[in-house]
Every structure is written in C-alpha cells, then in structure tokens.
Amino acid sequence: MPETALTLDDILRLLAEHEEEAGRTLSMVPSENATSGLAKLPLLLDPYHRYFFNESGHDERWHFRGAERLRDLETALTVPLLEQLGRARYATARPLSGLNAMTLALGTLGGEPGSTVVTIAPENGGHYATPSVARRLGLHVEYLRGPDPHSLDLDHAAQLLGRVRPALVYVDQSHCLFPVDVASLVTTVREVSPETLVHVDASHWFGLILAGVFPNPLDLGADSYGGSTHKTFPGPQKAVLLTRDPGIEKRIRDTQDYLISSHHFAATISLGIALLEFRDFGGVEYARAVVANTKEFGRLLTERGLTVVAADRGYSAGHQLWLDTAADGIPPKTASDRLAAAGIKVNFLDGLPGFAGQGVRIGLNEPTYQGLSSADLVELADVFAAAVQGDGPYEELADRTARLRRRPRIGARLDEDSPLLRTALALASDSLRTLRRSSLDSVGAAS
C-alpha cells in the first residue's frame, strides 16, 4: 500500500496557497457558486458530526440526541425559508446534491419498476445522468425533443405522452441558456396524459426562482421542483425538493428515509443561513444583476471578437453563456488554459447542445455574488478576451483580475467591529483547539 509523504504542515500550506489563489481569481464555472463565511461556519462546528431525525420534536423520538438543541435551525429556519422563498407548502432539505435529489425524485414519482419516465433529450440540454439513474431504478426512458437546444416540440410531446402514458415528466435542463416553456408543457401533459406528474429540476435557475426573477415552476403548474443549492443560489453544496401537493410530500417523506440516512445536518444549517442572508441582504438585487450582467457580458465579448452563442436571442435568459472558441480558431482547452493563467476559471466540455465538438461554458453567477457590478464588466471583458486571444502578458492580466475581486460581496456585512464577526471567530477558533474552552467564555474573550 502506498504511504503519503504529506504532513499536516504540508496540508495547511496547500490550503493556504489555495485560499490565496482563490482570493485573487474569478470562478466563472456556471455550476458553482461561493457562499458566505457565516454560512460555512456550521461545517466547522459540532453539528457537522450529528444526525438529526426528529423533525416532529416528539420526546419519544430523540433516539439520536446530538442535535436536540439545534432542532429549530432546520425546522424553524431552513425549511420555512425554503417554503416562503420557494412559494411551496412543503419542502425537504434532505437531498445531499443535485444528483441525489434527482434520484429521490425519480424514485418517488417515477412509478414502480417498469414504468416510463419522459425527460429532455441530451441534445436539448437534458442532464447526462437522468436516463442512467432512471434505468438503474428499473424505469423506461423516453425523450422530449425540439427544433433547437432551447425549445421543445409540443406536438411531438403530445404524441409521445399519448403513446407511452408516463408516470413522470422530468424536466432536467442542465445545459441551458433559456428555460423551456414549462407552462405550455404542463398544459400539454394535462390534456394528453392527466395522470402524469411533472417535476422540474431547477438546479441552474434556483436562485433566480427564489428571487422571483424567474417564474416559479409551481405557479406554472408543475407538481414539484427542486435541485441543487450552489449554482445561481449562493449556498452550500446540497439540494432540495418543493411541492404544494400533500400527497407528493408524503410520498417524498416516505421514500427519502430509505434513500438518505444522514442528510448532513450542518449543511442544512448552512443552507438556512444562506437563505436568511439571501432574503434579508440583497438576494433579489443579486439575482437581477446576474441576468443583466450575463446579457451585457455576452455583448461585450461579441464586440471583442469572440463567438458567443445565441447572440440573435440576447445571449441568455439566466447566468450561462456558451462560447464557440473553435469557430475563432482557438481550441476550447487552449482558451481555458489561457484564461486560467489570467486568473479566470471556466468550463470547457463536450455535450453542449448545438456543438459538434467542445465548447466553453461560463457563468456570471459567482462573479456577481463576489460583488462585480455592471461597471466592472468592461474591464473583465477586456481581460477575458485578451486572454482567450493570447494577448498577454498573463501576469498582468492576472493582476487585473485580482483587482476585480476587491469588491464587497453580497450578504451580511461582517466588518472588523461586528459582534457577529467576533462571535463567529471565537467559535471557529475554539473548534480548532485540542482542549476546548467554553464557547461562551470564548465569545466573551473575543469581545
């Protein structure tokens, strides 16, 4: 067996180097987002180690007592905020990730083994994993298709639904510049196969939906929706499901106990803090800025000679932009390498709808969360285009990127004299000690 040569000093050095680099660079990967230090704090503390199974708070159900004092941080913080912002009667924060939420939704709503699930074809932006997960659950898969990567053929959908009578239509846009017309799709489902349920995987749009910038799938007639909480929503890497239907809520509750044991209680608290900050400290303004910044950045890159997909449609309705750098004579991997040297991290990947080969996928969600405003986009576009086109020197471009990071982030302000900051630092410091002081003593000392 190989043995590691890394020491604890090496580990902390690498973490410190990474944090230094992260503070000087911009992530433009659309499936990632940052979250606040306050929201990350529970992951360092005792709740990280605890199970929590007693949502009802019944005295006879405290079989695991470690999280007893913190019960309200799930039941009176995270879940009510999800229901409020998500415009739902019921919400669960048990899923661990977007793929885990997909598995729970398919396992709950997809019917018995042998049932049919209809989902979006990969060439129309459907998630690569949906058909595989469904088949591993014993489900048969059929595809919704359309004339372009952003639209569905509703006549084809009606014929398909009438023929296969699926248990579930799972709307799973993963590669998405524009949302499919959920309202029209639901109308088609209700007319042709009224017993079929409709679930919307809104992972990429989730923050925009909670802010009211995108329409809520439940308002459009979907039976349920959900997805991951770390794309346009600046939260921890977790996921949720929401519905207004008590029957669906019961089915989810009955199924999740057998697919998810520990639901990572500390991450659930982290999500609650992120939701509270989103509601009270600029979430709506952030979401509006994401959409505006994305459209504007697409225009700026086009002006600088880069090929940005869907220019004729305004580039994007959300946070993603797709670049065809191969059309500009620059292999996507080369573009990604050059951008990384300039302090900008992006996706290059296969499978983008409409691309014969690889493309570059970027997002304005995390840069906007990190504080970049419309006034910063010209400088960012100059750096971005210069990097892709090989117009260095890259050290100078990286310094310009680092200067863009020196902006106030969205969220609660934690200035040096903030009592919140002093309390958080005391908790973090105490969690690292071999011999712990009382948390109350630590907070008092920090004050």
Side-chain angles (χ1 to χ4, degrees), residues 30-31 120 124-125 149-150 171-182 200-217 220 225-234 278 286-287 290-291 294 315-322 365:
S31 51
I120 296 179
N124 288 91
H150 321 295
V171 183
D172 63 331
Q173 281 186 290
S174 173
H175 300 313
C176 44
L177 297 178
F178 304 91
V180 298
D181 185 350
V182 171
V200 176
D201 186 330
S203 293
H204 275 279
W205 314 120
F206 192 60
L208 307 181
I209 291 169
L210 295 193
V213 173
F214 263 34
N216 186 302
L220 301 179
Y225 79 103
S228 56
T229 55
H230 54 84
K231 293 181 173 66
T232 50
F233 184 78
F278 191 83
Y286 151 79
V290 166
V291 174
T294 302
Y315 303 102
S316 177
H319 65 301
Q320 288 193 36
L321 293 171
W322 299 348
N365 43 323

Side-chain angles (χ1 to χ4, degrees), residues 179-366:
V180 298
D181 185 350
V182 171
S184 295
L185 177 60
V186 169
T187 297
T188 301
V189 172
R190 301 294 182 242
E191 290 175 349
V192 177
S193 184
E195 71 279 7
T196 298
L197 298 174
V198 178
H199 176 83
V200 176
D201 186 330
S203 293
H204 275 279
W205 314 120
F206 192 60
L208 307 181
I209 291 169
L210 295 193
V213 173
F214 263 34
N216 186 302
L218 301 179
D219 292 340
L220 301 179
D223 297 288
S224 56
Y225 79 103
S228 56
T229 55
H230 54 84
K231 293 181 173 66
T232 50
F233 184 78
Q237 295 208 355
K238 198 160 176 36
V240 299
L241 295 177
L242 304 97
T243 186
R244 294 173 184 166
D245 187 318
I248 289 176
E249 187 273 339
K250 184 179 185 305
R251 290 169 65 180
I252 291 171
R253 185 160 26 90
D254 290 345
T255 304
Q256 67 186 10
D257 287 346
Y258 297 93
L259 291 181
I260 307 165
S261 178
S262 171
H263 62 294
H264 298 183
F265 184 51
T268 306
I269 300 170
S270 172
L271 177 57
I273 295 171
L275 288 162
L276 189 64
E277 288 190 283
F278 191 83
R279 187 192 71 179
D280 293 347
F281 297 98
V284 172
E285 291 77 11
Y286 151 79
R288 289 173 178 163
V290 166
V291 174
N293 286 348
T294 302
K295 291 180 181 295
E296 178 65 6
F297 198 65
R299 184 186 68 80
L300 291 169
L301 292 184
T302 300
E303 287 181 351
R304 284 154 179 77
L306 298 180
T307 300
V308 185
V309 172
D312 58 329
R313 297 184 57 166
Y315 303 102
S316 177
H319 65 301
Q320 288 193 36
L321 293 171
W322 299 348
L323 278 65
D324 188 357
T325 61
D328 303 323
I330 304 162
K333 172 63 164 57
T334 300
S336 174
D337 290 343
R338 290 174 177 177
L339 286 163
I344 299 172
K345 311 295 178 62
V346 301
N347 263 156
F348 75 95
L349 70 170
D350 298 297
L352 281 178
F355 281 72
Q358 294 182 328
V360 174
R361 186 177 72 152
I362 67 174
L364 273 293
N365 43 323
E366 185 167 334

